[in-house]
C-alpha cells in the first residue's frame, strides 16, 4: 500500500539527535502529522507519526486481509484425542487461552499448527537464546524466572543490560517466528529449576491445517500491529 504523507516535517538525523525532545513535542502538539528523519543521502531513515494516525494506517492496511482470512476460517470445530498427546502438549492446550497467537483457535487447531512441544528445565543463569541469533521456538514460563538482556547494536563497545525479569505465565520469543528477524534480546534462566514449555509453528500449509493456519496468520497480523502501536506510543510519549 502506498502511504501519502501530508504536513510533513523533515529533519536530518544529526539535528534530530541534537534536539529530539523538541521534535517529538512538535509532533504531539500537532505542529506536524509526521516527522521524517533522513540520513546524509536525504532518504527517509525513520518516520514517526502520532498514535491515532498510525492506528488508522495499520487498520486500513490489514482490514481487507483480515476479512479474507475470516471468510476462510469460518468452520466447524474438530475434536482432539487427548489420550494421544504427551504431557507437554496437554499443558499447551491448558494455557492456549493465555497466548494471543492462539486466539479463537480450538484444541485441534493448536495441535495442527504446532510441533516440537516439550518441557525444558534449566539451572540458574543458563542461556535460552541469544540476541542476534535466529530462532523459531516460543517459550512459556511454567516455573521459575527468565532474565532478559540486550545491548544497543549501534553503540560501539556496547554491553548487555538487564531489561526485565519474567516470571511464571510470561511468554517470550514469540516475535522471531512471526517476523523471521534475529532475536532482539538475550534470555537467561533466572532461578535453579526453571521450567519452560517450548513449541514451534509449522512452516508449511496443507489441506489438513489450512484453516487453522489462516487463523494463526490473522493472529500474527494483530500481534505485529499491536507491537507497532506500542512502539509508536513510546516514541511519542516524550514530554519536556
Amino acid at each position: 500500500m502506498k502511504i501519502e504523507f501530508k504536513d510533513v516535517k523533515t529533519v536530518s538525523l544529526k539535528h534530530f539527535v541534537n534536539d529530539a525532545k523538541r521534535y517529538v513535542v512538535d509532533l504531539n502538539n500537532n505542529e506536524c502529522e509526521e516527522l521524517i528523519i533522513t540520513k546524509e543521502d536525504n532518504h527517509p531513515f525513520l518516520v514517526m507519526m502520532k498514535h491515532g494516525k498510525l492506528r488508522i494506517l495499520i487498520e486500513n492496511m490489514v482490514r481487507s486481509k483480515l476479512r479474507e482470512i475470516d471468510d476462510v476460517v469460518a468452520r466447524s470445530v474438530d475434536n482432539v484425542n487427548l489420550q494421544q498427546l504427551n504431557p507437554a502438549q496437554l499443558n499447551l492446550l491448558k494455557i492456549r487461552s493465555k497466548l494471543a497467537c492462539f486466539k479463537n483457535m480450538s484444541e485441534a487447531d493448536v495441535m495442527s499448527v504446532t510441533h516440537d512441544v516439550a518441557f525444558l528445565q534449566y539451572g540458574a543463569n543458563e542461556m535460552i537464546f541469544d540476541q542476534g541469533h535466529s530462532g523459531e521456538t516460543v517459550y512459556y514460563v511454567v516455573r521459575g524466572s527468565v532474565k532478559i538482556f540486550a545491548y544497543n547494536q549501534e553503540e560501539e563497545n556496547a554491553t548487555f543490560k538487564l531489561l526485565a525479569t519474567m516470571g511464571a505465565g510470561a511468554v517470550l520469543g514469540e516475535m522471531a517466528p512471526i517476523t523471521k528477524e534475529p532475536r532482539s534480546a538475550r534470555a537467561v534462566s533466572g532461578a535453579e529449576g526453571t521450567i519452560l514449555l517450548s513449541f514451534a509453528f509449522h512452516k508449511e500449509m496443507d489441506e489438513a491445517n489450512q484453516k487453522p493456519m489462516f487463523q494463526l496468520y490473522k493472529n500474527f497480523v494483530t500481534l505485529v500491529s499491536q507491537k507497532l502501536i506500542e512502539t509508536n506510543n513510546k516514541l511519542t510519549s516524550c514530554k519536556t
Side-chain angles (χ1 to χ4, degrees), residues 121-129 146-147 187-193:
Q121 183 166 345
Y122 294 86
N125 299 314
E126 287 191 50
M127 180 82 73
I128 300 168
F129 57 77
V146 174
K147 293 181 287 188
V188 177
S189 57
E192 185 72 30

Side-chain angles (χ1 to χ4, degrees), residues 19-125:
D19 199 1
K21 282 189 177 181
R22 180 172 70 85
Y23 290 112
V24 173
V25 169
D26 284 349
L27 188 66
N28 281 335
N29 291 339
N30 295 316
E31 295 294 329
C32 61
E33 285 192 356
E34 293 157 359
L35 182 65
I36 296 183
I37 303 169
T38 63
K39 282 189 172 181
E40 292 79 2
D41 55 5
N42 291 324
H43 289 301
F45 168 70
L46 175 67
V47 178
M48 297 173 62
M49 61 184 70
K50 294 201 68 175
H51 170 268
K53 186 174 180 65
L54 179 63
R55 178 183 293 277
I56 292 171
L57 176 63
I58 292 173
E59 288 177 351
N60 288 339
M61 291 176 68
V62 304
R63 186 179 290 113
S64 60
K65 181 58 66 177
L66 295 185
R67 279 200 296 266
E68 291 175 15
I69 295 174
D70 278 334
D71 291 340
V72 176
V73 167
R75 65 192 185 281
S76 59
V77 177
D78 297 325
N79 294 321
V80 60
N81 188 343
L82 300 180
Q83 294 180 343
Q84 295 180 351
L85 304 182
N86 63 40
Q89 290 173 315
L90 290 171
N91 197 278
L92 179 61
L93 294 182
K94 289 180 181 178
I95 66 168
R96 78 180 194 279
S97 62
K98 301 179 182 180
L99 305 178
C101 58
F102 296 138
K103 184 177 180 180
N104 297 325
M105 297 181 69
S106 69
E107 292 180 341
D109 290 343
V110 174
M111 288 296 96
S112 69
V113 300
T114 57
H115 66 93
D116 294 340
V117 185
F119 286 118
L120 304 176
Q121 183 166 345
Y122 294 86
N125 299 314

Side-chain angles (χ1 to χ4, degrees), residues 154-171:
E154 303 296 326
E155 182 181 332
E156 188 175 355
N157 299 320
T159 57
F160 279 97
K161 296 180 181 179
L162 178 63
L163 301 182
T165 300
M166 308 176 75
V171 181

Side-chain angles (χ1 to χ4, degrees), residues 127-160:
M127 180 82 73
I128 300 168
F129 57 77
D130 202 5
Q131 181 172 342
H133 289 191
S134 60
E136 296 290 334
T137 304
V138 181
Y139 302 88
Y140 176 86
V141 183
V142 178
R143 187 174 70 191
S145 61
V146 174
K147 293 181 287 188
I148 305 298
F149 298 86
Y151 68 93
N152 185 346
Q153 295 174 316
E154 303 296 326
E155 182 181 332
E156 188 175 355
N157 299 320
T159 57
F160 279 97

